[in-house]
Amino acid sequence: MARSRVFDGLASHRQPEYNGIDRRVFLQTAVAVGAVAGMSSLARPAAAQTVPLTPGVPAGVRAEATLEALKGKRKLIKLTYRPPNYETPLAVFNDAITPNDAFFVRYHVSDIPEVAAASWRLKIGGEGLNGVAEYGLSDLKSGFEQVEVTAVCQCSGNRRGLSNPHVQGVQWGYGAMGNARWKGVRLRDVLNKAGVKKEAVEIVIDGADKPLVDKTPDFIKSIPAWKALDENTLIALEMNGAPLPHWNGFPARLIVPGWTGTYWMKHLISVQAVTKPYGGFWMAAAYRIPNGKFPLVDRFISQETAANTPITEMVVNSLITAPADGQKLRAGGAVEVKGIAWDGGYGIRQVEVSTNGGKSWRPATLGRDLGRFSFRQWSYRFAPKAGTHTLLAKATNAMGASQTFEAIFNPAGYHHNVVHRVDVVAA
Ligand SMILES: Nc1nc2c(c(=O)[nH]1)N[C@H]1C(S)=C(S)[C@@H](COP(=O)(O)O)O[C@H]1N2
Ligand SMILES: [Mo]
């Protein structure tokens, strides 16, 4: 098994070879190669435009990115084109719900068929079930209770671009995440209808997308049977009251509230209950974190090794969405500092704000509770004196877990929840 891959959690802490070279050159070259190879009609980009990349990226990581619209999307921050990896600009998170056309796009493989609703089929089976089944869209809509949950989908590698030292992988800033109202059927109801054997340990999920070339293994994941049978784990058919956008998994995707995006299989076509741990590349060699480094509660016991474990729930996190970094404020005027906080589903208990670089902290006012898996908005008013002010925000969840001030280094750059910093000037 290839152990040096980008997402290989089993790799040592060895530095990537290109560390220190100008990433801007590296990425421009990669984009040019993609353009020569040709573009599918779906991914035809609109006129390109560059924007400063996330403030705070360490020296050496490129400083700007291209804003570009995939079909059906507004302009997002393009990180890679093949496969498509597009990030949501930070200002979008001024709203608690992320609009469908602004929701980030993350793919591991590049052959992404446009699935036709009428011919789409979902196969249910595996040795861990008593029976098999096959459903079309109308079967799922008429045959099972329809439920809705508001939940954050965040890529494990969100903010990886901030990792210092650099690590390989898509150099995400703050926007490899989004919060939406997901509506569909419980995976539990579908599994129970086929009859789950007590020997079932994991549920293996696959989507319609495939690698274009053989060097990347097909993206197939598994979740523990207990998480699959959780009442909040859904096969979603709708996002914010509309069908799923193509780029976010039309016509059906898995929703695994509280857990990072890697398990949220898009274009879902197969659900298989297995009685032995699934050993595919994306489970055995990717999306793993070193044991004992993160204060996580949810374990994925059937996939644990002596060295590492699959990433599971999201760590507690927050973001300042306004004012923007570098924004000029009026001295003496009232300023609303606002943002969002989220975690793995325990619920946000408190957000504290500092307007003096961490010397003192004051509680922010929490906004409406949209459910424990959702972004929670917060706000804090202050009247800046003339000068520079360093704003910080720090969330604490119902478990008492909070954010870090320095990233916990790991080879894939996962779980970045360093307190967000925004510098403003009042005059
Ligand atoms: N079919 C399929 N589903 C997938 C992926 C993929 O590559 N193919 N990537 C996963 C990862 S790693 C993430 S972070 C989320 C991203 O969801 P989004 O593209 O809707 O934002 O989708 C997940 N589901
Ligand atoms: Mo991801």
Side-chain angles (χ1 to χ4, degrees):
M1 187 156 289
R3 296 239 155 150
S4 58
R5 299 191 67 98
V6 167
F7 301 98
D8 190 352
L10 297 177
S12 67
H13 289 207
R14 181 178 56 82
Q15 295 294 299
E17 305 81 77
Y18 57 76
N19 195 17
I21 70 157
D22 186 345
R23 298 274 296 143
R24 211 172 323 183
V25 174
F26 175 78
L27 281 150
Q28 279 169 357
T29 308
V31 166
V33 168
V36 169
M39 296 171 173
S40 85
S41 62
L42 270 175
R44 197 184 317 111
Q49 166 188 341
T50 54
V51 286
L53 197 63
T54 319
V57 292
V61 176
R62 72 217 167 100
E64 55 183 32
T66 306
L67 272 185
E68 204 176 85
L70 291 164
K71 186 176 154 196
K73 290 278 183 183
R74 72 174 79 166
K75 285 181 180 174
L76 300 175
I77 301 168
K78 181 179 85 178
L79 294 170
T80 67
Y81 169 66
R82 177 170 283 170
N85 285 298
Y86 285 70
E87 171 174 341
T88 303
L90 197 143
V92 171
F93 301 118
N94 274 306
D95 292 318
I97 298 291
T98 313
N100 290 4
D101 69 344
F103 209 92
F104 83 109
V105 175
R106 202 278 176 263
Y107 279 95
H108 289 284
V109 290
S110 301
D111 180 358
I112 307 163
E114 228 178 327
V115 181
S119 57
W120 176 80
R121 290 285 178 278
L122 177 61
K123 288 194 162 69
I124 313 290
E127 78 270 11
L129 295 184
N130 291 322
V132 296
E134 197 174 307
Y135 298 111
L137 267 187
S138 55
D139 304 324
L140 288 183
K141 283 185 179 159
S142 60
F144 298 91
E145 187 186 344
Q146 307 294 303
V147 290
E148 189 170 66
V149 58
T150 302
V152 175
C153 177
Q154 176 180 225
C155 184
S156 313
N158 192 23
R159 307 187 182 183
R160 175 188 289 128
L162 302 172
S163 177
N164 201 355
H166 300 157
V167 290
Q168 292 183 62
V170 179
Q171 298 296 303
W172 299 110
Y174 289 96
M177 62 170 190
N179 187 40
R181 291 184 291 111
W182 309 95
K183 188 174 178 189
V185 304
R186 291 188 190 93
L187 178 58
R188 165 166 102 178
D189 293 348
V190 170
L191 290 171
N192 281 339
K193 189 154 185 185
V196 184
K197 293 182 186 167
K198 65 177 189 322
E199 294 82 15
V201 285
E202 294 178 8
I203 307 298
V204 179
I205 45 193
D206 191 12
D209 51 336
K210 293 182 294 296
L212 262 186
V213 280
D214 287 331
K215 69 183 193 328
T216 308
D218 192 9
F219 189 70
I220 302 171
K221 296 288 295 187
S222 69
I223 55 175
W226 67 265
K227 188 66 176 172
L229 295 169
D230 186 292
E231 62 173 344
N232 295 299
T233 301
L234 307 184
I235 299 169
L237 311 173
E238 284 182 22
M239 177 177 176
N240 295 327
L244 298 170
H246 165 68
W247 300 109
N248 302 107
F250 184 87
R253 81 176 300 174
L254 203 67
I255 300 305
V256 191
W259 284 28
T260 67
T262 183
Y263 302 104
W264 297 47
M265 186 61 69
K266 300 190 277 189
H267 318 288
L268 187 66
I269 52 170
S270 165
V271 170
Q272 304 289 317
V274 294
T275 55
K276 286 190 196 65
Y278 175 70
F281 172 81
W282 295 103
M283 292 307 299
Y287 284 106
R288 286 181 169 264
I289 52 173
N291 286 339
K293 274 215 162 187
F294 295 97
L296 297 176
V297 179
D298 284 351
R299 287 176 61 185
F300 194 158
I301 292 173
S302 54
Q303 292 279 346
E304 288 176 0
T305 72
N308 58 45
T309 183
I311 194 164
T312 56
E313 78 215 52
M314 291 177 278
V315 292
V316 59
N317 218 333
S318 68
L319 200 56
I320 299 169
T321 56
D325 192 63
Q327 197 172 317
K328 309 250 181 304
L329 306 173
R330 197 164 54 79
V335 173
E336 190 188 27
V337 181
K338 58 177 268 188
I340 48 173
W342 67 99
D343 78 330
Y346 305 100
I348 295 301
R349 187 171 74 197
Q350 188 180 44
V351 174
E352 293 160 279
V353 172
S354 174
T355 57
N356 54 18
K359 286 195 205 73
S360 61
W361 296 84
R362 301 287 303 157
T365 305
L366 294 183
R368 198 151 73 88
D369 187 352
L370 301 176
R372 64 193 173 98
F373 298 110
S374 170
F375 284 155
R376 184 82 186 258
Q377 285 186 306
W378 55 264
S379 67
Y380 178 79
R381 289 177 85 79
F382 91 118
K385 294 200 180 83
T388 301
H389 302 273
T390 295
L391 312 178
L392 304 172
K394 177 164 61 93
T396 304
N397 72 1
M399 306 284 288
S402 190
Q403 300 178 235
T404 59
F405 284 88
E406 279 195 41
I408 299 172
F409 184 83
N410 63 102
Y414 295 148
H415 282 323
H416 188 287
N417 69 341
V418 172
V419 164
H420 186 208
R421 170 186 173 150
V422 162
D423 292 308
V424 291
V425 184

